[in-house]
Amino acid sequence: MSTNEMTGGEAIARMLKAFGIGPMFGMGGFQLLPFYDAARRIGLDHNLINDERCAVFIADAYAKVSGRVGVCDATLGPGATNLVTGLVEALNAGSPLVVFVGDSHRLHSWKNMTQESRQTEILRPACKELIRIEMVERIPELVRRAFQVATSGRPGPVVVDVPEDVCHATHPFDDADFEADEACMSAPSLRCRPASADLEAAARMLGDAARPLMLCGGGVHISGATAEVEALAHALNLPVAHTMTGKGAIACTDPLSAGLFGRYDRIANRLIEESDCLLVVGCKLGEIATKRYTVPAAGKRVIHLDNVAEEFGRTFRPMLRLWGDAREGLRDLHAALAPEADTIRARQQPYAEDVAARMVAWRKSVEARLTSAERPINMARLLNELNKAMPADGILVADGGFAAHWGGLLYDTKRPGRGFVPDRGFASIGYGLPGAMGCALAAPGRPVVGLTGDGGFNMVMGELETARRLDLPLTVIVVNNAASGYVKALQHLMYGAGAYQSSDLVEVNYAKVAGALGCTGIRVEDPNEIAEALRIGIGSENGPTVIDVVVTRDPALMLPGVDNRTVQVRKGDRVA
């Protein structure tokens, strides 16, 4: 066994190498310089970012699509505090991340060190766990701990705080110190199964139901349970509805798909109302998914399968709680129902046919919007063209707010799996471009499109330089309405035409912006030009493409609904 004297920074780099991490992003400072030097020497795929928040967004999207741990870093002070928004996204969404931040030299802490702040106190609520390394010799142990915590239970981000003197200090490490737990390289690293008695009760409830319905959230993707969702749905003729993050639990084009439920839905909310047994899988039943806690209605028979016990009863009291991993729980539930599956499937055939017929009728009822020739362009037409252009293995990344809601309602995945990636953990705008970068890195060869508003793109457009530097073949669609569209639409709804405050943007040609940054830029003002622009962007292998789509400026038509429905606002309720 050989012993090597090395810095703490090199020890961190060697541990990351042992865990086989993918691309990581950061912006260095003096505190982490030994780590940067070691990353160069041992061949870590480390890349400079222009804004630390985007580093976390990239890591988050990478983790969502690959299932592997996303890694990034930041220097102390403003570098560390810039991480907060992305960390909360990962925390709420269940994305496994390990994030390193430099900190001040302990000998000089609290003596007005440059950029010093109480960063551990700021970051602690934004992550699953914060680990501060106080002794250089403990680095291998604590990095292993970070990966273990990030990938177990509900996955999440772990922050590793590294004081300057610990990173620069040296210690004689043994080769055996740099061992990684292979199970903790991806999430979930551990799985638990619901109790057998609870599974038997759930099987009886589903077997006796006349109109059962499965409601899937993002936990289905975290667990890697889409094959199990599809298998159980087809075995029983069990229709499936989904949240925004649960899209792809089964293919949206599957006859058993009931589409999005909650605030924006196609046919799912009525099916929930008519159902006599709901199977909720990997879903927190939050505000948007439940249409502000009104769907399902109180008293519904609900079976809730989740691996986080604290979620049971938080927003809806289920009749039966199944505490366990979604994949394992669905497998066991399928096995329990197998003896009766043929009988149930035959009995449910007319119900399944009714669901499929309702979806066909819904599509027909909104066809005029989906094929609209309006100028400026109707959002429904844009999403319809995207549905036609995207191959089955494509990934759509939807930025927060406006883009996520339109995409959640209208975008159709063509196969089960994570083909739709919205940042619904925190719903921050600015995710579209860096999220697309993370997906492109996680799934090379798969077409990646980011859908973002002009406001969100304004926040992060500097990362086009990063995407170009890495020659990432991705497409970003900028929904250009010269406004903070969601806010302007709500102001119109609440206060009437013309009552707009701080919601307008100056007109910008983002295709020219892209060109100035060395990327391909295409501006689309005619809906008949959308298909060709998408063909060029999705088919390109020459770095990033930005498609600047000029959409409606009418705030009465901006709300994310294919029929631009009139939203009734209850007295005292300020959310549409």
Side-chain angles (χ1 to χ4, degrees):
M1 181 183 299
S2 60
T3 299
N4 296 304
E5 185 85 18
M6 67 183 70
T7 64
E10 180 166 348
I12 292 171
R14 287 184 178 273
M15 282 305 302
L16 294 182
K17 187 82 169 178
F19 273 99
I21 65 162
M24 67 179 294
F25 291 80
M27 185 182 295
F30 180 76
Q31 290 71 27
L32 292 180
L33 280 185
F35 166 72
Y36 273 61
D37 181 63
R40 172 186 59 82
R41 288 186 285 103
I42 70 174
L44 287 182
D45 186 4
H46 189 286
N47 304 277
L48 173 65
I49 200 71
N50 287 300
D51 185 290
E52 292 89 353
R53 180 178 60 152
C54 291
V56 193
F57 282 161
I58 292 172
D60 175 80
Y62 177 88
K64 281 182 167 80
V65 169
S66 70
R68 297 177 64 81
V69 178
V71 184
C72 61
D73 68 86
T75 190
L76 86 169
T81 58
N82 276 348
L83 299 172
V84 171
T85 298
L87 287 173
V88 178
E89 165 64 34
L91 179 65
N92 292 349
S95 302
L97 306 185
V98 174
V99 179
F100 294 89
V101 294
D103 208 339
S104 57
H105 195 298
R106 290 175 299 168
L107 182 63
H108 305 301
S109 293
W110 313 125
K111 293 166 64 176
N112 294 325
M113 291 283 287
T114 302
Q115 298 186 316
E116 185 177 35
S117 70
R118 294 187 178 273
Q119 65 186 44
T120 56
E121 296 170 39
I122 294 169
L123 297 176
R124 186 171 282 112
C127 60
K128 185 177 179 183
E129 185 166 302
L130 189 145
I131 300 172
R132 181 171 164 90
I133 301 180
E134 298 283 1
M135 301 178 68
V136 63
E137 52 265 45
R138 294 193 67 191
I139 285 174
E141 166 206 348
L142 294 177
V143 172
R144 275 192 294 272
R145 169 70 180 173
F147 277 80
Q148 178 186 352
V149 173
T151 58
S152 59
R154 176 191 283 162
V158 176
V159 172
V160 182
D161 188 78
V162 187
E164 174 190 313
D165 52 307
V166 173
C167 192
H168 287 254
T170 62
H171 179 74
F173 288 99
D174 292 328
D175 290 342
D177 291 331
F178 302 108
E179 293 181 355
D181 184 347
E182 188 173 346
C184 298
M185 293 179 181
S186 58
S189 56
L190 297 171
R191 297 179 187 266
C192 59
R193 301 166 73 173
S196 57
D198 293 335
L199 284 163
E200 291 171 5
R204 286 194 298 271
M205 289 175 66
L206 286 170
D208 293 342
R211 297 182 68 86
L213 183 66
M214 192 180 338
L215 306 181
C216 291
V220 165
H221 293 300
I222 296 171
S223 174
T226 56
E228 285 67 30
V229 171
E230 185 180 45
L232 182 61
H234 288 171
L236 303 180
N237 266 329
L238 175 63
V240 179
H242 58 79
T243 64
M244 283 191 239
T245 53
K247 184 184 286 287
I250 62 171
C252 295
T253 52
D254 192 302
L256 288 171
S257 173
L260 190 69
F261 70 93
R263 181 183 294 176
Y264 303 104
D265 81 303
R266 302 182 181 187
I267 63 172
N269 287 357
R270 177 59 64 86
L271 290 171
I272 291 171
E273 183 181 331
E274 296 171 351
S275 175
D276 56 350
C277 184
L278 298 171
L279 173 60
V280 177
V281 182
C283 178
K284 294 182 285 188
L285 294 173
E287 177 202 346
I288 291 177
T290 61
K291 202 174 181 180
R292 189 161 272 205
Y293 316 110
T294 62
V295 177
K300 277 288 181 185
R301 291 168 58 87
V302 171
I303 303 164
H304 193 171
L305 169 60
D306 205 287
N307 77 333
V308 182
E310 300 89 272
E311 294 301 338
F312 296 132
R314 187 194 294 270
T315 65
F316 190 96
R317 292 185 63 185
M319 180 172 290
L320 180 63
R321 299 173 295 178
L322 297 180
W323 184 28
D325 176 75
R327 189 188 76 182
E328 300 306 306
L330 288 173
R331 284 179 179 175
D332 288 348
L333 190 55
H334 192 169
L337 284 160
E340 302 176 64
D342 291 344
T343 301
I344 295 172
R345 184 172 63 252
R347 187 185 72 211
Q348 297 292 98
Q349 185 64 33
Y351 171 44
E353 291 173 356
D354 176 53
V355 170
R358 290 192 196 193
M359 186 63 82
V360 170
W362 177 86
R363 292 183 191 278
K364 186 176 181 180
S365 73
V366 299
E367 185 176 1
R369 298 284 187 181
L370 297 174
T371 58
S372 169
E374 297 171 32
R375 295 182 62 173
I377 294 166
N378 188 294
M379 279 294 295
R381 174 67 183 272
L382 172 61
L383 267 297
N384 190 44
E385 294 293 340
L386 186 58
N387 276 331
K388 291 188 288 186
M390 283 286 269
D393 63 342
I395 301 172
L396 177 64
V397 180
D399 211 325
F402 192 90
H405 289 245
W406 276 103
L409 177 63
L410 292 182
Y411 183 67
D412 287 328
T413 59
K414 300 176 178 67
R415 69 182 192 185
R418 185 92 82 166
F420 180 70
V421 182
D423 63 325
R424 299 312 301 172
F426 208 31
S428 167
I429 62 173
Y431 189 88
L433 171 56
M437 294 167 64
C439 291
L441 291 164
R446 292 179 64 181
V448 175
V449 175
L451 183 68
T452 183
D454 40 9
F457 189 65
N458 285 345
M459 290 182 173
V460 300
M461 68 172 70
E463 298 309 338
L464 271 181
E465 184 276 330
T466 311
R468 179 193 168 203
R469 185 176 358 115
L470 298 180
D471 197 29
L472 294 178
L474 56 86
T475 301
V476 176
I477 299 173
V478 180
V479 177
N480 187 339
N481 55 17
S484 178
Y486 204 84
V487 173
K488 189 169 185 177
L490 292 178
Q491 289 176 341
H492 182 88
L493 175 71
M494 295 291 295
Y495 308 113
Y500 313 125
Q501 174 62 48
S502 304
S503 56
D504 287 312
L505 298 168
V506 69
E507 288 279 355
V508 175
N509 186 321
Y510 292 99
K512 290 184 177 180
V513 171
L517 285 165
C519 303
T520 301
I522 306 171
R523 187 170 173 89
V524 177
E525 299 181 57
D526 184 334
N528 294 320
E529 297 173 353
I530 299 172
E532 177 62 11
L534 290 172
R535 185 192 67 78
I536 294 170
I538 293 172
S540 175
E541 297 181 0
N542 299 318
T545 298
V546 173
I547 303 177
D548 180 24
V549 183
V550 179
V551 300
T552 183
R553 265 71 174 151
D554 184 351
L557 302 177
M558 288 180 180
L559 279 179
V562 68
D563 55 355
N564 300 120
R565 65 201 71 191
T566 300
V567 181
Q568 299 299 319
V569 181
R570 299 187 299 273
K571 184 178 181 180
D573 184 347
R574 292 308 203 197
V575 178

